[in-house]
Structures are given as C-alpha cells and as structure tokens.
Amino acid sequence: MVVKLRHYLRCYNKNTELNILNLFSARQNMWSGSFSSSYSCWKRTWVTLPIGLLLLVIRTWPRLLHPEVWQEDGTYNLPGFFQNGLTDLLEPVNGYLIVVPKMITMLSVSISITQYPMISTFLACGVMLVVFYIVATAPIHIHGGILLAAACLLLPSNPEVFGLPLYSFWWTSILLFVVVFWNANQNDWILRAVIIIMASLSSPVCIATLPLLWVRVCFLRKNPREISLTLLATSCVAIQIWIMIHSNIYVVSQINIASFYLIITKFIGSYAIGNIFPMFRWYFGLFILSLLIVTVLRDLRSPAKWGLAYLLCATILMSISRLSINHLHQAIGSPRYFFFPFIILSWFLLQIALTETSRLLRMGALFILCLSILNAIPVLDRKHDDLNWATHLASCPHFKEYELPVHIDGNIAGTWALKLTKQQCNSLLDKDPFFKPAVTGGFPFRVIRKHPDDRPFEQNDVTVAINKVQPGNEWLGADPQKSHKNGIVVLGSFMDSGAGTGSLTLKMRRGDKLLYRSGLLRSGQFIEVQAPLFRVTTSPVAREWVQLDFSNDLLPDEFSVIFSDRSTDWHEWSAIMLKAD
C-alpha cells in the first residue's frame, strides 16, 4: 500500500536508494521532459491546487473573513512606503531584509488603503498557495509530492504565520529547502534563480541553506548552471549578512546546555503530542529522535536524509538563537519559531514512511505523522478581534493626527498604532478608488494609548471636570484598583464586582479630553455621542488608562456623551477619570 501511494504521489520514477553521484542527475518531470510526462503532471494540478486551497482555508479562515493589519506591517512597512516609496524595499525590518512582504504591502496599498487588509491578506494567501504548488510538484530528490506540501499546512503549531503579509517570508523560505534538493535540470534554472533571489532577500534562512548548495556543487563540478546558481545564492546571503551586521538590530539569544535538553521536548516531542498530552513530550521526543538516528545510520549513503538531518538541526538552532527556548511554545509562545523545524521533521518522517525497507520503522513514522495531525486540531485556527480598519480610516481626516490600531497578537486590548496626519489621510483616501465618504462621521473620539512623553496619563491630560456630570449618574464606583490621586475623580460601573451596570452622562465641548479604563471584555460597554452623524460606539478595551480625545471636526461645539455598561459579566466594567474641579 505504501509503495502504491508513493507511486501515485510522484510524477516521475526514481530508485528508492540514491547515492552521492546520482543525487542530482536529471530526470523527466513536469518541469521538463516528454510531453506525456508533463501532461500527466499538469493534469494533476487540478487535484493539487484544490487540496492546497482547502487546507489553507481551514487554517486561515478567521483572517480571510476579518482581515486586519498586523505588527510591523502596520508600524514599519506601511509608514516606510509612505515616506520612502519603492526604495523602502531595501530597508530592513528587525535586522534583515524582507523583500516579499514589502512587495505585498506596496502593491496592496497602491490599489486601496481602505481595502488594504483584505487585499494584502489575499495576496499573502496567494503566496502560500504558490509555495504549496511548487513543493507538491517540484522535481526534488525527496519523496512525498503533495504530502510534503500538505505537511506545511498541517503543522501542529499555532498558525501565526498563516495568511499574514508580514510573515509571507516564512513561506517563501520553504522554497530554499526545495532548491537544495532540486533535480539538476537545464531548463528550470530561471525559476530557481528567482526563488533564490526572492527568498534569500526575505529571510536569514538563506544562511542555513547555503552550505548545502555548496555541497551540491561539489558533486556537480561540470555543471556551470549549478555553480552559477550557488554563486547567486552566495551573493544574496552576503547582502543579507551585511544588512544584519550594519542594522545593529538583529538580536541573538544565548544558547546553553539546558537549551539542548529542552529541544527534545519542545521541538521534537511537542510535534507529536505537545497540544494534547504535553506531559508525554519527553518520551515521544526520545522516540522520534531515536527513529531519525536509526534511519540515518541504516542508510549512511543517503544525501537526502543527511540533508534533512542538517536542516532540522540548523532551523532549531536558528529558532533558539533568535529567542530563548524557555519562552517558546508551539501554541502560545512565539509559535512561528516552530514553523521550519516542524516542516523539516514532517518531511523527514515522510521519507521514512515512504522509503524505508523496515516495516517497523515505516509504521513508527506513519504513527507519528498521524498523531501530529491529531495534535494540530487544538491549534487549527487562530481568531482575533475586529479593529474596524475602514471606520478608523474614515475618521482619520477629521483629526489633526490619528492613530490607526494595528494588531500584535489579535487582542484588541493590546495594539500598536499607525500614526497618520490629516494631510496623509486625505492624500491616501483621495487616491483610493474604493473609498466613498461615509454617511456618518466615523468615531467621535480618537484613542491615545501612550503619552507622547512616555509617562503615565495624569490630571493634566484631562479637560473635563466632575461638575460636567449630568443628574441621574449611575456610575458610583471606580476601577478595581480604586484609583486615588490628588486633583482627580474616578467614576465607574465597578461597584462590588464587574457585574454592576448603569450609565453616566457628561456635558462636553469639542476638543475635550478625558481618561478611560475598562475590563478585558467590551460586549456591553458603549459610548454614545448625542450629535448628528455619529452612532453608538463600542467602548475600547483599555487595561491601563488611555486618553479619549473628542476633537472630531464634525462634532458640534457642545454635546452630551453617555457612557454605558449594559453587561452583568464580572469581567466587564468601565471607568473614567475627571478633574476634581
């Protein structure tokens, strides 16, 4: 059965055992060769792409339904493009070049700023699908075909890097692993050259794959194309290293002996069972490690297995050198750093399951692979809060400056900010073919989460006095910490618990500012400005005091604002800070 499966998945015939001399020999496949071979493989495209699309949707559906702007994409890539134009492609982010994500950002925002989250998300998913297709069909010297590609989408880790334009470089980097095992074909060198350039200038992973390319050249001394491609890869690596050294940003974490002990549990044991029975990670880690070692020792002349073993070690070391292994967790602690090691581990196990002569080893590998799929179910997707990007953009032209919220981890309580001036907003929206002036005034206030001087908000940041509270006030509590400072008054819905409800009405003027704080939930927290063009607004989530600036130029000179808490949930409450006089 395994032999039949292997025969079905591959678009070419190949011996099970390979040696050093014939590893990179040419063969007929969909990228070159006879018409019948190519036709057969292209016909299989109609199976490959739907499977990839289905798996992609399963893992990224929350981001496809509610696309948002995330992390450095909103705080570095977008502002960089606004300021520097196309030259921003060569500006590093976090210490290294990321050309592919910046290309997605530039193309998307050039089409539409209001639809930027949707366009960039779909382009990022398009990159994932292209990578899936190339991995599934490329003429490489490791077995699996479409199973190799499916493994990339069925990793038992949080899908942090799935469907985000910023993290598309993680996907293009996979193609560097593919190039290492690519059949030396005279007709596809342009494709490989494009892959090498785009992937190497988007990720420092190129540093790890370069040694294997030079090993490859050592056994292809008479192949000038392979030498040229390796020299091209070397040049790209040199550029990436030069950027990393001169950026003074790329951080390397310390590695100690304890790190190697944790590798077995976190990067190997967690692959099989870390999300369902984490207490058994050590035992499964030892079992998988033993399986890999035995397989390599049984076939010491297999370059494919040695290459995968090297890549597994290299990607793990790169992960723990970037962030301390103590802070890593495949579900909740920077899960992106498990992406490459889990892919290589999946590919290694597939080689054992599809090529090993020992039935015991094959069954062991198949068992771990099936278990890893079950282990992926608890982390199959990743949900996030809606930040209302389009509404914020519609509000932006009505303030002198505005902060568009950008997701960090998907929680609205902790966001970064993309700061734009009124002039920048108007310029971007004027060029947007999809923008239509809203019938409402957007948000009546802007949320300022961080003081410009990096100090905590205090009395001087409030312009509304306690005497502006209207009769009938039901907010007679405070915040849970019972804030007390000279010259300020805190009023809130928190009485004995967050289960308290009620409302408070303030008389305000355009340009007034006050401080606001809330619990971790906001489904029943509302702010209603009694003025034309404005609707009831769901209150922001603010773990710490934030400033609400009611300076929207569509507001009348004077207006009333109703703060309401309509939830009896113990974790929901709101509070405002006013001047004592």
Side-chain angles (χ1 to χ4, degrees):
M1 179 177 179
V2 172
V3 174
K4 290 182 179 179
L5 177 62
R6 182 180 63 206
H7 179 75
Y8 173 77
L9 291 170
R10 294 159 52 215
C11 298
Y12 49 84
N13 294 323
K14 143 175 161 29
N15 294 328
T16 299
E17 301 299 327
L18 294 172
N19 55 50
I20 293 286
L21 296 179
N22 69 11
L23 173 61
F24 304 114
S25 60
R27 63 172 177 271
Q28 291 181 345
N29 49 67
M30 69 169 293
W31 303 91
S32 64
S34 68
F35 172 78
S36 60
S37 176
S38 298
Y39 174 78
S40 175
C41 288
W42 280 114
K43 187 176 180 180
R44 195 161 296 155
T45 298
W46 299 102
V47 176
T48 302
L49 290 180
I51 291 176
L53 183 60
L54 175 63
L55 293 176
L56 187 150
V57 170
I58 289 174
R59 303 227 60 180
T60 64
W61 66 266
R63 292 171 179 182
L64 292 172
L65 289 179
H66 304 288
E68 296 289 348
V69 181
W70 290 74
Q71 298 174 331
E72 286 87 353
D73 189 35
T75 57
Y76 283 90
N77 293 350
L78 280 173
F81 180 53
F82 297 154
Q83 182 176 355
N84 305 320
L86 292 177
T87 60
D88 194 61
L89 274 175
L90 302 179
E91 290 294 323
V93 175
N94 290 332
Y96 50 87
L97 294 176
I98 53 170
V99 169
V100 170
K102 289 199 172 189
M103 290 177 65
I104 293 176
T105 295
M106 292 177 181
L107 177 59
S108 302
V109 77
S110 297
I111 297 173
S112 171
I113 184 64
T114 56
Q115 302 302 317
Y116 173 79
M118 181 185 69
I119 297 172
S120 62
T121 299
F122 275 86
L123 286 177
C125 289
V127 169
M128 292 173 59
L129 200 57
V130 169
V131 171
F132 180 92
Y133 181 77
I134 294 177
V135 173
T137 59
I140 57 178
H141 289 283
I142 56 177
H143 296 253
I146 197 171
L147 289 182
L148 297 174
C152 299
L153 286 167
L154 291 174
L155 300 178
S157 62
N158 185 306
E160 182 181 24
V161 303
F162 289 56
L164 296 187
L166 175 67
Y167 288 153
S168 57
F169 73 84
W170 291 83
W171 288 90
T172 55
S173 298
I174 297 174
L175 298 181
L176 291 175
F177 305 147
V178 174
V179 167
V180 165
F181 297 104
W182 202 288
N183 181 21
N185 191 303
Q186 297 297 318
N187 298 323
D188 55 15
W189 66 273
I190 295 179
L191 173 62
R192 283 187 285 161
V194 171
I195 289 174
I196 288 172
I197 293 172
M198 301 303 292
S200 297
L201 297 182
S202 298
S203 169
V205 170
C206 60
I207 300 172
T209 56
L210 183 62
L212 287 183
L213 289 176
W214 277 108
V215 170
R216 174 189 175 95
V217 166
C218 290
F219 297 98
L220 290 168
R221 286 186 291 269
K222 296 182 180 180
N223 192 326
R225 287 277 172 79
E226 296 301 314
I227 296 175
S228 299
L229 289 172
T230 303
L231 290 174
L232 175 63
T234 304
S235 301
C236 294
V237 169
I239 294 172
Q240 193 68 269
I241 292 177
W242 188 89
I243 292 292
M244 292 166 63
I245 292 175
H246 288 81
S247 67
N248 296 321
I249 298 176
Y250 193 86
V251 179
V252 178
S253 175
Q254 292 185 348
I255 302 176
N256 51 44
I257 297 178
S259 300
F260 293 95
Y261 167 81
L262 291 173
I263 284 174
I264 297 177
T265 58
K266 291 199 172 188
F267 284 95
I268 302 180
S270 290
Y271 170 84
I273 207 164
N275 299 316
I276 47 181
F277 297 109
M279 69 288 295
F280 298 122
R281 291 181 302 168
W282 172 251
Y283 305 105
F284 275 86
L286 288 177
F287 173 75
I288 296 171
L289 185 60
S290 301
L291 184 66
L292 302 182
I293 293 174
V294 169
T295 301
V296 172
L297 293 178
R298 280 172 53 86
D299 190 8
L300 292 174
R301 293 175 60 84
S302 170
K305 292 174 182 175
W306 278 110
L308 288 171
Y310 163 79
L311 287 175
L312 180 61
C313 295
T315 53
I316 290 175
L317 287 176
M318 289 189 71
S319 295
I320 64 177
S321 67
R322 186 63 169 166
L323 188 66
S324 172
I325 194 171
N326 296 308
H327 301 148
L328 295 177
H329 189 279
Q330 75 282 352
I332 58 176
S334 299
R336 60 188 178 275
Y337 292 110
F338 292 83
F339 185 66
F340 294 140
F342 279 5
I343 286 177
I344 301 301
L345 189 52
S346 296
W347 289 5
F348 207 147
L349 291 170
L350 279 170
Q351 304 319 295
I352 300 174
L354 297 175
T355 67
E356 261 297 332
T357 57
S358 168
R359 183 174 182 179
L360 181 62
L361 293 178
R362 291 200 308 270
M363 292 301 102
L366 281 173
F367 170 71
I368 297 300
L369 285 168
C370 293
L371 193 59
S372 72
I373 296 176
L374 293 176
N375 192 37
I377 294 177
V379 290
L380 203 59
D381 55 38
R382 177 173 178 164
K383 299 179 179 61
H384 60 272
D385 294 329
D386 185 4
L387 296 182
N388 297 301
W389 173 264
T391 306
H392 281 289
L393 270 173
S395 306
C396 183
H398 301 295
F399 295 82
K400 291 183 179 179
E401 291 183 342
Y402 199 83
E403 296 183 356
L404 279 69
V406 174
H407 265 311
I408 302 175
D409 56 6
N411 193 326
I412 197 173
T415 57
W416 288 345
L418 169 57
K419 298 181 180 180
L420 297 176
T421 64
K422 183 174 185 176
Q423 292 74 19
Q424 286 177 312
C425 291
N426 285 323
S427 176
L428 291 169
L429 293 175
D430 288 343
K431 301 174 184 177
D432 191 340
F434 295 93
F435 175 69
K436 295 181 180 179
V439 295
T440 64
F443 293 111
F445 55 85
R446 61 174 181 152
V447 181
I448 303 175
R449 295 186 176 272
K450 187 177 181 181
H451 195 279
D453 297 331
D454 288 332
R455 62 173 175 80
F457 286 112
E458 53 190 26
Q459 178 188 0
N460 296 335
D461 302 304
V462 180
T463 62
V464 184
I466 186 65
N467 58 16
K468 297 298 182 180
V469 176
Q470 301 300 293
N473 172 35
E474 297 174 317
W475 280 20
L476 301 176
D479 64 336
Q481 280 66 42
K482 306 294 182 184
S483 299
H484 292 291
K485 294 183 179 179
N486 294 331
I488 61 98
V489 176
V490 175
L491 297 175
S493 62
F494 191 97
M495 303 291 284
D496 296 326
S497 71
T501 61
S503 63
L504 175 150
T505 303
L506 282 178
K507 195 72 174 179
M508 299 181 65
R509 296 179 60 86
R510 185 174 65 248
D512 274 344
K513 302 176 180 64
L514 55 80
L515 301 186
Y516 175 86
R517 194 160 175 251
S518 73
L520 297 179
L521 302 177
R522 64 167 187 163
S523 60
Q525 311 301 304
F526 301 97
I527 300 176
E528 178 182 358
V529 173
Q530 295 185 318
L533 300 179
F534 295 100
R535 299 173 179 173
V536 178
T537 302
T538 303
S539 303
V541 174
R543 297 173 181 173
E544 302 297 333
W545 289 109
V546 299
Q547 187 181 63
L548 303 186
D549 176 15
F550 289 81
S551 58
N552 188 308
D553 59 18
L554 296 179
L555 286 169
D557 291 338
E558 293 186 353
F559 52 90
S560 296
V561 180
I562 302 175
F563 294 85
S564 300
D565 179 355
R566 304 173 189 173
S567 173
T568 58
D569 193 299
W570 279 39
H571 299 285
E572 282 205 57
W573 52 269
S574 294
I576 60 174
M577 185 185 295
L578 305 175
K579 293 172 64 175
D581 49 22

